[in-house]
Amino acid sequence: MLNDSTFNCNDVGGMNLAGNTVALTGSDARGNTASCQATVTVLGLFPTVNLEIVAELCGGNPGSITVNLPEVNGQVAYSINGGASW
């Protein structure tokens, strides 16, 4: 059983960015119970984005844009032409 299993935008980052503490309680068929706490951190819809831009040089390097999303694990979709392709 969880004391809180629903989170929303009001829970982003948790209390002082330390996360949201939830209590977990389990029991077996003989009535034995155990409890512990866990921290749930809710990430915002828009993570921190760090950009590094290297300008194109005429007749030289083609230039580059490096995007770093430190709070995101997994795949990220992006568009470089206003959403015409992803």
Side-chain angles (χ1 to χ4, degrees):
M1 180 172 94
L2 293 171
N3 70 324
D4 194 356
S5 61
T6 303
F7 300 94
N8 59 41
C9 292
N10 294 328
D11 301 305
V12 170
M15 300 298 293
N16 300 320
L17 299 177
N20 303 282
T21 302
V22 295
L24 305 120
T25 304
S27 61
D28 64 16
R30 300 189 120 192
N32 299 308
T33 63
S35 297
C36 66
Q37 292 184 336
T39 301
V40 176
T41 301
V42 179
L43 298 178
L45 180 61
F46 300 103
T48 302
V49 178
N50 298 321
L51 295 175
E52 179 183 329
I53 301 170
V54 177
E56 178 180 1
L57 298 176
C58 234
N61 285 338
S64 67
I65 299 174
T66 303
V67 180
N68 182 10
L69 304 164
E71 297 140 353
V72 176
N73 294 317
Q75 295 182 342
V76 176
Y78 64 93
S79 171
I80 58 171
N81 58 0
S85 63
W86 294 87

